[in-house]
């Protein structure tokens, strides 16, 4: 069974601060995805990283996939109240596990004005 | 909007009764998934389908069964609901099973009393 440890579980910061969310595993993943979920809705995909060492930027969000494809991070620069939400990382296995995602526990981010 | 409809959206049922949740998609995606979301656990895969009448178990399949008689519909059945199955259930779809964007429905809130 593949496991993903996501940290921190809760993050409360002031507007303008930077933050990083981590996602770690002892397993190798063929790809890793980051989702954001609003209350009462399903998760929405933010980004998929597939290559070890890959870095993707989405406005103020920077996503990195570890060289060994076992870990990932999400960095938000100058957080805004609109960034508030639940952030989930999810790893996709290989072989017969394609399409089956293993999710981290999630990080609840609150950005105060 | 990824064309996914879950029904019912909210349900309260008694322990021991059977419950069926329905997922309907209009995207003609081959893969469909059922996840459950619980605090501290992220999302966990219950069952998935890779085609009509083709299904397989996920990591938390005990107590659940699924059926897919048409491309557009994927049913999740709790044969005899228990309080431990109180959760939010999400249906998801993807075009292929590998490295493909997975779209989630809005969720079904199930309470077993």
């Amino acid at each position: 069974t593949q496991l993903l440890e996501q940290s921190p579980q809760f993050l409360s910061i002031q507007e303008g601060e930077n933050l990083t969310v981590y996602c770690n595993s002892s397993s190798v993943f063929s790809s890793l995805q980051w989702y954001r979920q609003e209350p009462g809705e399903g998760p929405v995909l933010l980004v998929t990283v597939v290559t070890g060492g890959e870095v993707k930027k989405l406005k103020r969000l920077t996503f990195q996939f570890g060289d060994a494809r076992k870990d990932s991070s999400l960095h938000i620069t100058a957080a805004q109240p609109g960034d508030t939400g639940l952030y989930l990382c999810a790893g996709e296995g290989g072989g017969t596990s394609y399409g089956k995602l293993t999710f981290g526990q999630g990080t609840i981010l609150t950005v105060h004005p | 909007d990824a064309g996914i409809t879950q029904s019912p959206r909210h349900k309260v049922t008694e322990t021991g009764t059977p419950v069926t949740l329905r997922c309907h998609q209009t995207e003609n995606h081959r893969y469909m998934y059922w996840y459950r979301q619980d605090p501290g656990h992220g999302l966990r895969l219950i069952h998935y389908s890779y085609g009509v009448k083709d299904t397989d178990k996920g990591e938390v399949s005990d107590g659940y069964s699924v059926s897919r008689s048409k491309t557009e519909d994927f049913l999740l059945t709790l044969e005899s609901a228990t309080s431990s199955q109180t959760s939010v259930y999400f249906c998801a779809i993807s075009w292929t099973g590998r490295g493909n964007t997975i779209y989630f429905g809005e969720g079904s809130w199930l309470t077993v009393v």
Side-chain angles (χ1 to χ4, degrees):
Chain A
T1 302
Q2 296 178 308
L3 296 174
L4 267 175
E5 295 292 330
Q6 190 172 339
S7 62
Q9 191 172 354
F10 300 95
L11 202 49
S12 180
I13 61 173
Q14 293 296 126
E15 181 176 3
E17 294 184 359
N18 302 331
L19 67 109
T20 302
V21 178
Y22 299 94
C23 201
N24 296 294
S25 176
S26 59
S27 303
V28 175
F29 292 100
S30 62
S31 70
L32 201 134
Q33 303 177 0
W34 285 91
Y35 291 81
R36 180 181 169 190
Q37 185 178 14
E38 300 285 352
E41 299 179 5
V44 176
L45 180 67
L46 294 173
V47 75
T48 300
V49 285
V50 296
T51 305
E54 182 176 2
V55 177
K56 280 191 174 180
K57 291 190 176 183
L58 186 65
K59 296 183 179 180
R60 295 177 292 100
L61 280 61
T62 301
F63 304 86
Q64 186 165 5
F65 201 12
D67 291 341
R69 291 186 289 135
K70 293 182 179 180
D71 55 86
S72 181
S73 64
L74 157 61
H75 183 79
I76 300 179
T77 303
Q80 299 176 0
D83 295 327
T84 294
L86 173 65
Y87 291 82
L88 296 157
C89 63
E92 180 184 20
T96 58
S97 296
Y98 282 134
K100 293 160 65 175
L101 297 178
T102 298
F103 280 84
Q105 303 95 320
T107 296
I108 298 175
L109 171 65
T110 304
V111 182
H112 301 279
Chain B
D1 184 0
I4 305 170
T5 304
Q6 291 186 228
S7 59
R9 293 291 314 280
H10 297 86
K11 186 175 182 63
V12 179
T13 191
E14 294 185 348
T15 299
T17 60
V19 177
T20 295
L21 305 180
R22 180 181 183 238
C23 179
H24 178 78
Q25 59 144 330
T26 58
E27 306 297 320
N28 200 34
H29 281 27
R30 178 183 175 190
Y31 285 75
M32 298 186 75
Y33 313 83
W34 277 107
Y35 286 86
R36 60 177 289 174
Q37 185 172 34
D38 304 288
H41 290 279
L43 284 92
R44 292 178 291 175
L45 181 64
I46 305 171
H47 282 279
Y48 71 103
S49 169
Y50 46 96
V52 173
K53 296 186 179 179
D54 291 323
T55 65
D56 202 354
K57 297 178 179 180
E59 62 178 299
V60 290
S61 59
D62 288 347
Y64 302 94
S65 62
V66 290
S67 66
R68 192 170 178 198
S69 58
K70 299 184 291 184
T71 298
E72 56 266 35
D73 290 325
F74 193 32
L75 304 180
L76 176 70
T77 298
L78 290 64
E79 302 291 346
S80 178
T82 67
S83 58
S84 65
Q85 293 176 311
T86 292
S87 187
V88 184
Y89 292 87
F90 286 97
C91 174
I93 64 174
S94 66
W95 182 246
T96 70
R98 176 180 179 179
N100 204 239
T101 298
I102 295 179
Y103 300 95
F104 285 84
E106 294 186 324
S108 293
W109 275 253
L110 177 66
T111 301
V112 183
V113 297

